[in-house]
Amino acid sequence: MKKTLIAVAAAAALTATSAFAEITFGAWLRTLTAPVASNGEDTVVGTANSWGWGARTARLDINGVSEDGKAGFSMNAFNDMAMGSLEAGDRACLWVKPVDMVKISVGKFDSPDNGLRGDFCYGSWNWLRPYNWGYDGEGLTFDGIWRTGMMIEADPIEGLHAFAVIPMNTKNDSSYYKKAEDTYRNIQIGFGYAIEGVGKLKAQYIGDDSYTTDADGDRDETKTTGQIGVAFDLNAVENLYVTVGARFGIADKDYRPDYIKMAITAGASYQVSETMKFSVDGGYIQYQDDCTVRNDEAVDNVFFVGAGVDYTIMDGLSLAADVRYMSNVKGINTTDADAVKNFTGYGKDYDEGAISFLVGVNKSVSSNGSLGIGFQGATNGCGFVQSDGKGLVANEADDFVWAIPVSVSVWF
């Protein structure tokens, strides 16, 4: 992303001195518009972005940093077509560095803000995202941060980056203050350690006391729930990148049968030449209890796998293609087989897997934009970008859903 840099002379109102700060403005935007698509029964038209919600047509990223690099801020402002006005974006925080090895930030954090999220994005993840994925693309092997509050980061020795996020004043709680025991029950803490020439080891704990509330709304404050995550990114082999991760849930199945007990995920990409790259990823997820259906039987697990290729046809023109499979729907909070079947699944009897695929081409139209067109399909009622039930949703559980998306990307 290109950014516009502005040197701002901030004349201090109460002193005779002045300081210089660097302010950067940037933007990255993508919309996916389908002039023609099908939900299995009707021919439809729609527009969104890769991850759902409304089409994001405008965005402004503003970042400031002091001349000595010890203080700054970040802010995002987005406009989605569905909103019709500017809204707060993913990030809004300020930060200071009291010493070189410590950074203290307060505000709303975007998922990759601590630099450790285990991203692995290719193929349809950058177009209309199919709904047959578990942990895929962003955060495939290691979760990022989706919290507001205070983040403390430390780099005590070379290669080691540690962090802790204390959640405060969340958007679901209008109160400025919460009980300390409730706040620290939800703490997120972890580290990443880079081994030169080999890769990076990562580990974290994410607290989440929402899983101590049962179906009747009763909460057990004696319960401690959360997730432990570990991952390793390997980059020791030239042109090869491998990332492997595992998540282990801490919860009682009486409270959330669909809470993840264990998840193993992995991704690998190999740059065959300057023009071609192959990617493959997959994972296995086991829940606390039987909460999804496969082969007409309630089970406690799903698995998924995908593979794709990126190919540069010529300067400014590229091809992306992939295929993905998921064994059955992700878990829901029930152990009743009939109730599971009432949840949108894959296949006529809601108990099958689904295949999705993409073939798309992108053409650069300037140094700051690209235009693309593709064809995407998904079997057994699997749809695309179904955030909150919106997006291209299958009419029936065994329908073939398809779209011809037009991709417009702009960055500054």
Side-chain angles (χ1 to χ4, degrees):
M1 179 195 304
K2 292 187 176 180
K3 294 183 178 180
T4 301
L5 287 81
I6 301 177
V8 179
L14 300 179
T15 68
T17 62
S18 65
F20 289 86
E22 189 174 82
I23 309 295
T24 62
F25 297 84
W28 179 85
L29 297 157
R30 177 194 293 152
T31 63
L32 276 298
T33 300
V36 59
S38 172
N39 65 6
E41 180 182 38
D42 299 319
T43 301
V44 296
V45 175
T47 186
N49 52 44
S50 292
W51 51 94
W53 311 107
R56 183 167 296 168
T57 56
R59 166 176 177 166
L60 182 63
D61 299 336
I62 308 172
N63 298 278
V65 61
S66 62
E67 184 180 26
D68 58 12
K70 293 187 175 182
F73 73 93
S74 296
M75 184 184 75
N76 301 150
F78 296 166
N79 172 265
D80 288 349
M81 286 177 61
M83 297 177 183
S85 61
L86 286 175
E87 301 285 344
D90 296 328
R91 179 188 293 108
C93 64
L94 56 83
W95 57 269
V96 295
K97 298 182 72 172
V99 295
D100 288 340
M101 67 176 64
V102 176
K103 180 179 180 181
I104 300 174
S105 307
V106 177
K108 178 184 180 184
F109 304 112
D110 194 9
S111 182
D113 270 352
N114 63 2
L116 298 177
R117 189 175 72 175
D119 289 357
F120 194 81
C121 306
Y122 69 93
S124 54
W125 198 251
N126 301 317
W127 290 72
L128 293 174
R129 293 180 183 172
Y131 220 56
N132 59 338
W133 52 272
Y135 284 101
D136 206 348
E138 297 166 359
L140 170 67
T141 56
F142 200 76
D143 288 313
I145 302 168
W146 296 104
R147 299 176 176 222
T148 61
M150 173 181 286
M151 178 164 64
I152 303 170
E153 299 172 90
D155 299 273
I157 60 174
E158 185 176 356
L160 178 63
H161 180 76
F163 74 95
V165 182
I166 305 170
M168 301 177 187
N169 192 25
T170 66
K171 62 183 179 181
N172 294 322
D173 185 352
S174 60
S175 172
Y176 286 108
Y177 293 93
K178 296 178 67 176
K179 289 183 179 180
E181 62 190 73
D182 293 336
T183 295
Y184 288 100
R185 197 191 300 267
N186 292 302
I187 196 170
Q188 181 174 354
I189 186 168
F191 73 90
Y193 182 66
I195 306 170
E196 186 176 357
V198 178
K200 181 178 288 186
L201 175 66
K202 298 177 284 189
Q204 68 177 335
Y205 168 76
I206 304 174
D208 190 348
D209 68 354
S210 66
Y211 293 98
T212 63
T213 302
D214 63 20
D216 296 325
D218 297 324
R219 183 178 175 200
D220 187 346
E221 296 188 0
T222 66
K223 297 288 185 181
T224 298
T225 62
Q227 183 186 97
I228 295 172
V230 294
F232 185 74
D233 301 336
L234 175 70
N235 53 26
V237 181
E238 186 177 3
N239 298 326
L240 176 68
Y241 172 70
V242 178
T243 179
V244 180
R247 299 169 172 89
F248 303 94
I250 304 170
D252 189 320
K253 67 181 181 181
D254 292 338
Y255 287 86
R256 286 298 297 265
D258 69 328
Y259 191 71
I260 291 174
K261 184 177 181 180
M262 178 185 68
I264 307 294
T265 53
S269 64
Y270 183 65
Q271 191 75 42
V272 180
S273 64
E274 290 184 358
T275 60
M276 182 177 291
K277 181 174 75 172
F278 288 107
S279 302
V280 61
D281 67 342
Y284 170 84
I285 302 173
Q286 183 176 359
Y287 301 103
Q288 292 283 0
D289 206 346
D290 296 340
C291 60
T292 189
V293 173
R294 185 165 65 246
N295 298 328
D296 203 28
E297 181 181 354
V299 296
D300 65 357
N301 64 85
V302 301
F303 61 87
F304 63 97
V305 65
V309 60
D310 294 285
Y311 179 69
T312 302
I313 302 171
M314 62 177 66
D315 187 31
L317 181 65
S318 61
L319 166 75
D322 76 344
V323 60
R324 298 168 186 260
Y325 172 80
M326 189 169 182
S327 62
N328 48 285
V329 299
K330 292 183 285 187
I332 61 174
N333 188 17
T334 180
T335 57
D336 183 87
D338 291 331
V340 170
K341 287 187 178 183
N342 290 330
F343 181 76
T344 301
Y346 301 138
K348 184 176 181 179
D349 295 321
Y350 304 96
D351 63 349
E352 299 180 33
I355 297 172
S356 67
F357 63 87
L358 156 80
V359 178
V361 291
N362 264 306
K363 177 68 172 69
S364 297
V365 296
S366 78
S367 60
N368 297 86
S370 68
L371 178 67
I373 187 169
F375 181 78
Q376 295 186 249
T379 67
N380 276 342
C382 176
F384 296 94
V385 294
Q386 297 184 57
S387 298
D388 288 349
K390 301 176 182 178
L392 184 53
V393 182
N395 183 67
E396 298 288 346
D398 59 346
D399 281 338
F400 177 70
V401 176
W402 59 267
I404 300 178
V406 176
S407 171
V408 180
S409 296
V410 176
W411 55 90
F412 297 96

